[in-house]
């Protein structure tokens, strides 16, 4: 699959067939931080943790895009630098502390640096997402189906998380209902709705690009130990690819309809 990028680009676009009508997104695909930031003052080991990126999601996104032949947009910067899955006014946009790890390079931070990260990383990534969704809409002549891919830790503060895969959403249930039904039918797989997080997050990627525009969508979360190695990534790509293909073949998931957000008025 052709890859559109430069080494210093804040995003990577996997260039699939826009006529298919499906777009994949990976907000937290990599743990990259430019050398000038000196790892934000953190040890190298911090960038192997979930605080820096969504473990396994880059590989899963590449595998699904390849199998389905569809476009994908992935970030190419760590969420520790700035989180693309947060609105510009979200106080957690640039984290000072993440799961107990103090981030020296983020505190204190000047207003000029805050704006620099927005303009250099956050906004270009969202520009690429908008451009890709628009290109798919134009090529297919329909509303695209957008699937965002994330991963979550097997436990949190000592509490195990039993789900293998979950779906996050706000109030647009069109893609969520059939997706949950399909996932629940996989033998031995435990799934859930809006676990371990609530999918209604004002200003996040799904809110910005799908809820406000009426585009059908869903956010998939895979437990990180399920996709922590190539074998796990291949297993879940094999499971998810036919499911997403069936969803994408549903005409009802290619129409525009704006649903009210649980976060409040648009």
């Amino acid at each position: 699959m052709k890859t559109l990028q430069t080494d210093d680009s804040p995003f990577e676009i996997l260039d699939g067939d826009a006529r298919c009508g499906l777009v994949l997104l990976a907000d937290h695909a990599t743990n990259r931080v430019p050398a000038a930031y000196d790892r934000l003052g953190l040890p190298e080991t911090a960038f192997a943790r979930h605080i820096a990126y969504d473990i396994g999601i880059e590989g899963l996104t590449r595998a699904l895009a390849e199998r389905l032949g569809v476009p994908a947009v992935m970030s190419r910067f760590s969420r520790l630098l700035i989180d693309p899955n947060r609105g510009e006014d979200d106080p957690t946009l640039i984290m000072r502390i993440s799961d107990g790890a103090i981030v020296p390079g983020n505190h204190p931070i000047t207003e000029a640096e805050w704006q620099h990260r927005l303009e250099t990383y956050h906004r270009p990534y969202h520009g690429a997402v908008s451009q890709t969704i628009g290109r798919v809409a134009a090529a297919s002549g329909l509303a695209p189906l957008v699937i965002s891919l994330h991963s979550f830790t097997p436990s949190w503060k000592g509490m195990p998380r039993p789900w293998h895969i979950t779906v996050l959403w706000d109030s647009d249930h069109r893609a969520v209902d059939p997706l949950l039904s399909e996932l629940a039918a996989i033998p031995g797989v435990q799934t859930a709705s809006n676990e371990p997080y609530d999918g209604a997050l004002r200003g996040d990627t799904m809110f910005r690009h799908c809820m406000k525009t009426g585009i059908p969508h869903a956010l998939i979360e895979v437990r990180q130990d399920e996709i922590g190695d190539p074998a796990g990534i291949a297993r879940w790509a094999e499971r998810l690819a036919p499911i997403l293909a069936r969803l994408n073949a549903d005409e009802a998931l290619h129409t525009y309809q704006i649903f009210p957000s649980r976060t409040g008025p648009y």
Side-chain angles (χ1 to χ4, degrees):
M1 175 174 289
K2 183 181 178 183
T3 299
L4 306 179
Q5 67 179 81
T6 60
D7 288 343
D8 58 352
S9 174
F11 58 84
E12 180 177 352
I13 299 174
L14 303 180
D15 188 27
D17 186 352
R19 297 170 297 177
C20 290
L22 176 62
V23 178
L24 304 179
L25 303 178
D27 296 330
H28 301 141
T30 73
N31 58 3
R32 299 178 183 215
V33 172
Y37 284 97
D38 193 25
R39 299 196 310 266
L40 297 169
L42 291 167
E44 189 68 34
T45 54
F47 292 90
R49 297 180 57 202
H50 70 96
I51 61 172
Y53 72 124
D54 278 354
I55 294 167
I57 285 301
E58 179 182 3
L60 182 61
T61 303
R62 291 187 187 279
L64 285 171
E66 185 71 34
R67 282 174 176 264
L68 294 164
V70 301
V73 185
M74 303 189 298
S75 72
R76 285 172 54 83
F77 55 91
S78 172
R79 68 199 305 173
L80 289 173
L81 190 66
I82 187 168
D83 194 333
N85 196 35
R86 296 293 184 272
E88 291 193 8
D89 59 351
D90 192 309
T92 65
L93 181 67
I94 298 176
M95 295 290 285
R96 278 78 164 176
I97 302 177
S98 184
D99 192 15
I102 297 173
V103 188
N106 291 348
H107 184 72
I109 184 170
T110 66
E111 178 63 24
E113 175 59 24
W114 190 286
Q115 289 300 317
H116 173 74
R117 295 190 198 181
L118 275 171
E119 293 169 5
T120 307
Y121 304 101
H122 194 278
R123 289 172 183 162
Y125 171 73
H126 284 285
V129 171
S130 292
Q131 182 270 333
T132 302
I133 290 174
R135 180 165 56 89
V136 170
S140 66
L142 300 168
L145 172 62
V146 176
I147 301 294
S148 183
L149 299 164
H150 291 255
S151 67
F152 63 94
T153 58
S155 64
W156 182 250
K157 296 184 177 179
M159 294 295 294
R161 289 166 161 173
W163 321 284
H164 301 95
I165 188 169
T166 67
V167 181
L168 308 190
W169 58 295
D170 187 336
S171 63
D172 185 347
H173 59 89
R174 291 174 292 171
V176 173
D177 291 344
L179 179 55
L180 282 170
S181 179
E182 290 261 18
L183 294 175
I186 302 174
V189 168
Q190 185 169 342
T191 189
S193 171
N194 278 330
E195 295 284 1
Y197 320 107
D198 190 337
L201 180 60
R202 191 168 191 85
D204 73 354
T205 300
M206 295 291 91
F207 179 92
R208 176 173 180 167
H209 296 282
C210 298
M211 285 295 293
K212 291 177 71 175
T213 58
I215 290 175
H217 62 282
L219 190 154
I220 293 175
E221 289 266 5
V222 187
R223 203 173 68 198
Q224 287 168 358
D225 58 330
E226 289 286 309
I227 53 173
D229 57 34
I233 289 170
R235 181 171 59 251
W236 273 105
E238 185 176 356
R239 287 169 167 172
L240 287 173
I243 292 174
L244 296 182
R246 286 192 290 272
L247 261 65
N248 193 48
D250 185 348
E251 293 182 2
L253 299 184
H254 291 285
T255 61
Y256 293 94
Q257 182 180 352
I258 294 178
F259 288 73
S261 173
R262 291 188 283 117
T263 68
Y266 294 118

